[in-house]
Amino acid sequence: MKSLKLKIILLLAIPYLLGLNKADAQVKVQVVTRTINKSIQWSPNMSLQITGERAEIYCTTHSQNTIDFKIEIIAENVDKRIAESDLRKMEWIDKVSGKIIYLRNYVEIARGETRPKSDLKVIYHIVVPEGCKVNIVNYFGKITISNIHSTLSIESKFCPINLKSISGIVDINSYLGDLSADNITGTLRFITDQSDIDINGVSGSLSIQSNLASIDIGGMSLPDKTSIRATKSKLMLETGDFAKFSFNLKLANATINKPDAMKLTFIKKDNTKIHARFNAETDYPLIDIELNTGTLTIVN
């Protein structure tokens, strides 16, 4: 009987809910945009510092000695007047100080003003010279970097990061923002917290410190050294021919899945801890892993 009553109530409610959806669909969001286009002369040893807030940052390279950028500052609100007012609260700065070029956006509220009610965001489209160092700080946005062959540093929160065709010195510090990378090489250091990591194609020296993550690394082209320190994480290594690597594994409260042919030498093994090695006496590229709570899977 209760089931029948529930069905009747739901049937009666459907037209009402559909009416609400139709009314919501008729509400038109007003979009107000301010666009900035600029080119800044660049010389060797100069670097770019980007500080973003609610920003989508897209950066790549060209063969010119200029840093070119197009900035779109966007406010969305059902009330166009509010959108226009809030748009003015998103400030923009570009300046050159010494050997550093600064690009920055931030929300500034004058005394007596209210916080923005609109959906605010800034979109950076940046092209830098080959060899230009790039430093990025960004919160609540997105970062996509391609073809950087120099030094790249990123500090972000609530911000997914996508890297493609990167080489050089790369430092990433990410909180609650997944990291994906394709074809990267050099000195690579990733520190993440509650951010998944997906790497396809890596060489050079790779260091990862991670907490609460799913880490998937494939296409390992005999990197010089791989060091992973992770807690409460799931690790997947696609090594190709595992016999071409040397392994040092320290696991606590963790399980390991590996090819049957990979015969480990155990230094320590009990109910909670494992310390094992493979090809320890060789000079093969070292994969050094410390995992506290989680799973490690090694596949060919």
Side-chain angles (χ1 to χ4, degrees), residues 152-272:
L152 173 64
S153 174
I154 297 175
E155 179 183 337
S156 67
K157 293 183 179 180
F158 309 100
C159 194
I161 300 169
N162 182 26
L163 308 177
K164 186 173 183 179
S165 299
I166 305 295
S167 64
I169 299 174
V170 180
D171 281 289
I172 308 290
N173 193 324
S174 174
Y175 174 74
L176 281 172
D178 294 345
L179 167 65
S180 64
D182 183 20
N183 187 24
I184 57 173
T185 184
T187 302
L188 315 169
R189 295 186 288 262
F190 300 153
I191 300 175
T192 70
D193 188 359
Q194 302 173 69
S195 305
D196 292 342
I197 299 173
D198 188 352
I199 300 174
N200 182 30
V202 59
S203 60
S205 174
L206 173 63
S207 172
I208 296 176
Q209 297 180 39
S210 189
N211 175 54
L212 286 170
S214 175
I215 302 171
D216 193 333
I217 304 175
M220 302 182 72
S221 301
L222 295 180
D224 300 330
K225 181 180 179 181
T226 301
S227 174
I228 302 175
R229 304 289 182 266
T231 58
K232 300 178 182 178
S233 297
K234 179 181 178 182
L235 278 60
M236 167 74 78
L237 299 182
E238 300 177 43
T239 60
D241 185 358
F242 67 86
K244 293 182 179 180
F245 293 88
S246 171
F247 290 81
N248 183 49
L249 308 175
K250 293 182 180 180
L251 312 179
N253 302 308
T255 58
I256 180 171
N257 306 298
K258 61 178 184 61
D260 292 338
M262 186 178 181
K263 305 300 182 183
L264 300 177
T265 300
F266 289 94
I267 311 302
K268 180 177 182 178
K269 184 178 181 182
D270 58 31
N271 291 334
T272 60

Side-chain angles (χ1 to χ4, degrees), residues 29-243:
V29 175
Q30 303 294 320
V31 180
V32 182
T33 303
R34 175 189 173 199
T35 302
I36 302 163
N37 287 283
K38 194 167 182 178
S39 180
I40 297 176
Q41 195 66 32
W42 177 87
S43 60
N45 299 320
M46 293 183 75
S47 64
L48 174 63
Q49 173 70 54
I50 304 168
T51 303
E53 181 180 340
R54 305 181 189 183
E56 295 181 14
I57 299 171
Y58 303 90
C59 183
T60 189
T61 61
H62 63 179
S63 58
Q64 307 300 314
N65 285 327
T66 57
I67 293 178
D68 302 336
F69 56 86
K70 175 184 177 181
I71 311 300
E72 297 174 276
I73 304 175
I74 302 168
E76 298 181 2
N77 197 297
V78 294
D79 189 324
K80 187 175 182 180
R81 290 174 301 175
I82 295 176
E84 290 173 338
S85 175
D86 288 344
L87 185 70
R88 291 190 289 269
K89 296 174 184 177
M90 181 66 80
E91 294 290 340
W92 167 259
I93 290 175
D94 62 82
K95 68 176 183 178
V96 179
S97 179
K99 294 185 178 297
I100 303 177
I101 299 169
Y102 293 93
L103 305 181
R104 182 187 177 196
N105 75 279
Y106 60 96
V107 174
E108 183 172 75
I109 304 170
R111 179 173 294 182
E113 285 189 329
T114 60
R115 293 194 61 81
K117 298 178 181 178
S118 304
D119 181 11
L120 289 173
K121 68 177 179 180
V122 179
I123 303 177
Y124 293 68
H125 294 279
I126 303 170
V127 186
V128 302
E130 296 174 357
C132 178
K133 298 179 181 179
V134 178
N135 303 309
I136 298 174
V137 178
N138 195 26
Y139 303 127
F140 299 98
K142 179 191 299 183
I143 299 171
T144 298
I145 310 293
S146 62
N147 298 311
I148 295 292
H149 307 293
S150 180
T151 298
L152 173 64
S153 174
I154 297 175
E155 179 183 337
S156 67
K157 293 183 179 180
F158 309 100
C159 194
I161 300 169
N162 182 26
L163 308 177
K164 186 173 183 179
S165 299
I166 305 295
S167 64
I169 299 174
V170 180
D171 281 289
I172 308 290
N173 193 324
S174 174
Y175 174 74
L176 281 172
D178 294 345
L179 167 65
S180 64
D182 183 20
N183 187 24
I184 57 173
T185 184
T187 302
L188 315 169
R189 295 186 288 262
F190 300 153
I191 300 175
T192 70
D193 188 359
Q194 302 173 69
S195 305
D196 292 342
I197 299 173
D198 188 352
I199 300 174
N200 182 30
V202 59
S203 60
S205 174
L206 173 63
S207 172
I208 296 176
Q209 297 180 39
S210 189
N211 175 54
L212 286 170
S214 175
I215 302 171
D216 193 333
I217 304 175
M220 302 182 72
S221 301
L222 295 180
D224 300 330
K225 181 180 179 181
T226 301
S227 174
I228 302 175
R229 304 289 182 266
T231 58
K232 300 178 182 178
S233 297
K234 179 181 178 182
L235 278 60
M236 167 74 78
L237 299 182
E238 300 177 43
T239 60
D241 185 358
F242 67 86

